[in-house]
Amino acid sequence: MFNLNFTICQNLKTELAHFTRYRGANEPLFCSGRGGALTVNGVYRVFQTAGEYLERDDIGTHTLRKTFGYHYYQKTRDIAGLMMIFNHSSEQVTKRYIGIERDNLERQLWDFKLGV
């Protein structure tokens, strides 16, 4: 059987190897402005600052997770794989989470007309 986690890890490992090739083993992957490791709060602040700069209030790690899922599904149509990535219990939960059910409903209603 296809091992999704193995493939994701291999792709990520390749990207990280490229990104970290000149870093020491104990250097943080993402650094703060002060030179130490970037904290969870630091990531939050980066997203808040980016949102303010873009005049958006809908940017965050959770939004990025959902956006990844939406685009992954649009490209692959692999809802089972996405369920595994997100650790969801059903296709319906995953589709609702990434907004696919809403997209489908809006598409169906777009040309719907009552009467003649």
Side-chain angles (χ1 to χ4, degrees):
M1 180 176 176
F2 176 69
N3 187 335
L4 180 67
N5 289 332
F6 176 77
T7 302
I8 290 171
C9 287
Q10 285 302 107
N11 291 341
L12 184 57
K13 184 177 179 181
T14 300
E15 290 300 318
L16 288 175
H18 177 73
F19 182 73
T20 60
R21 69 179 162 216
Y22 299 113
R23 291 185 183 270
N26 294 322
E27 285 185 68
L29 186 57
F30 300 103
C31 297
S32 71
R34 296 181 182 132
L38 190 59
T39 65
V40 172
N41 288 335
V43 172
Y44 175 80
R45 283 191 304 271
V46 167
F47 282 113
Q48 291 301 303
T49 301
E52 289 170 12
Y53 178 78
L54 298 171
E55 297 179 358
R56 309 256 334 225
D57 62 359
D58 60 347
I59 296 176
T61 53
H62 191 74
T63 306
L64 291 176
R65 182 176 190 255
K66 290 172 82 169
T67 301
F68 159 78
Y70 179 85
H71 289 288
Y72 177 89
Y73 178 76
Q74 292 298 327
K75 183 174 182 177
T76 66
R77 298 289 185 209
D78 179 16
I79 196 68
L82 198 51
M83 281 174 54
M84 289 173 57
I85 291 169
F86 286 159
N87 196 27
H88 286 166
S89 59
S90 73
E91 289 183 12
Q92 186 176 2
V93 168
T94 302
K95 285 182 177 181
R96 185 173 49 243
Y97 180 76
I98 63 174
I100 295 300
E101 287 183 346
R102 182 175 180 86
D103 279 358
N104 290 340
L105 182 59
E106 287 175 1
R107 216 175 355 267
Q108 291 168 354
L109 290 173
W110 182 254
D111 292 327
F112 180 78
K113 294 182 176 99
L114 289 175
V116 248

